Amino acid sequence: GQQVMQIPQYQHVQEGEDFTTYCNSSTTLSNIQWYKQRPGGHPVFLIQLVKSGEVKKQKRLTFQFGEAKKNSSLHITATQTTDVGTYFCAGDYGGSQGNLIFGKGTKLSVKP
Amino acid sequence: NAGVMQNPRHLVRRRGQEARLRCSPMKGHSHVYWYRQLPEEGLKFMVYLQKENIIDESGMPKERFSAEFPKEGPSILRIQQVVRGDSAAYFCASSQWQPSTGELFFGEGSRLTVL
């Protein structure tokens, strides 16, 4: 079935270090979305990538969508304690169902 | 503009009881999704509904679970005869269109504990 794999599961960094999480699908995605969930909170939308090879930036966050539309990454430059949380990618395979398949997430902890 | 409203935020049930979780989508949103999240796990899709219609229930367990989104009122996720394994956070999300054209807005979640 359709599955989105996300690595690493956990990442511990020192404040100021960079962080990257990777998402991979065995089949081509229609588009991919990224969400952030703070501890005890709910997922909040960050961005959607649609085009092959697309790169989008939001301040210290850089999102990429692979050329084959099967993988994606989120890179955070110079992490801050406010970046703590779990980052999820969510793949849309198109079709009429319209539901997103979420990766298991990468839990980021930042040591001040 | 109120966001997605879920209630109750916390619910405790004993094994064999019923749990009813309610979700009011954002104003103007006609697409509702339910996801389940176990501790330290990702979000697992359960069901996608539009008003009075179940569009995709491929993630719903075959027994004990049901969902509806009536013409009037909130969407309801109903779990009958709960078991300990049902303990989880249940998130509702809504969108104005299908997620392929935009983001999902999540509620705060309903955290179910089965004793």
Side-chain angles (χ1 to χ4, degrees):
Chain A
Q2 293 155 346
Q3 200 172 8
V4 174
M5 304 300 293
Q6 193 172 353
I7 57 168
Q9 191 174 358
Y10 301 96
Q11 186 77 58
H12 310 281
V13 300
Q14 193 77 33
E15 189 173 21
E17 291 181 339
D18 292 355
F19 158 76
T20 305
T21 172
Y22 301 90
C23 220
N24 189 62
S25 169
S26 57
T27 56
T28 304
L29 293 160
S30 173
N31 66 78
I32 195 160
Q33 298 180 14
W34 285 90
Y35 290 78
K36 177 183 178 181
Q37 184 177 23
R38 293 185 186 277
H42 61 282
V44 174
F45 175 83
L46 293 176
I47 209 156
Q48 181 182 40
L49 304 169
V50 179
K51 298 177 185 174
S52 168
E54 189 169 14
V55 178
K56 287 189 177 180
K57 288 180 185 285
Q58 287 179 352
K59 296 183 181 178
R60 294 177 295 103
L61 277 61
T62 302
F63 303 85
Q64 293 190 335
F65 201 11
E67 293 289 343
K69 299 184 73 173
K70 288 184 177 181
N71 54 70
S72 181
S73 65
L74 157 59
H75 179 81
I76 302 178
T77 304
T79 54
Q80 300 174 358
T81 54
T82 52
D83 295 325
V84 163
T86 302
Y87 293 84
F88 293 98
C89 60
D92 182 354
Y93 291 88
S96 60
Q97 288 80 13
N99 75 75
L100 293 176
I101 306 297
F102 279 77
K104 290 198 171 184
T106 297
K107 189 172 183 178
L108 173 65
S109 60
V110 179
K111 191 174 180 182
Chain B
N1 185 15
V4 177
M5 304 299 290
Q6 285 189 252
N7 68 83
R9 293 288 307 279
H10 300 275
L11 182 64
V12 179
R13 286 286 178 266
R14 296 193 181 280
R15 280 179 295 170
Q17 292 184 319
E18 179 180 287
R20 278 185 182 236
L21 310 178
R22 288 174 290 278
C23 169
S24 296
M26 282 184 71
K27 189 177 179 181
H29 286 192
S30 59
H31 302 260
V32 167
Y33 313 81
W34 285 93
Y35 285 84
R36 176 163 65 177
Q37 186 175 40
L38 294 169
E40 304 296 314
E41 293 270 330
L43 292 149
K44 186 171 181 293
F45 169 77
M46 299 182 74
V47 63
Y48 162 36
L49 312 105
Q50 293 181 26
K51 284 284 187 184
E52 300 184 278
N53 285 306
I54 296 175
I55 307 302
D56 180 2
E57 57 181 348
S58 58
M60 287 277 271
K62 293 286 184 275
E63 297 176 348
R64 303 187 298 108
F65 285 72
S66 62
E68 62 176 7
F69 189 15
K71 188 177 180 181
E72 301 290 338
S75 175
I76 306 280
L77 179 67
R78 183 183 177 204
I79 312 172
Q80 294 177 290
Q81 299 174 328
V82 296
V83 301
R84 289 226 173 98
D86 297 333
S87 295
Y90 292 84
F91 287 96
C92 169
S94 73
S95 65
Q96 192 170 5
W97 302 284
Q98 285 188 351
S100 57
T101 55
E103 67 185 276
L104 293 181
F105 293 84
F106 281 85
E108 300 277 350
S110 291
R111 284 156 176 84
L112 171 66
T113 302
V114 180
L115 301 177

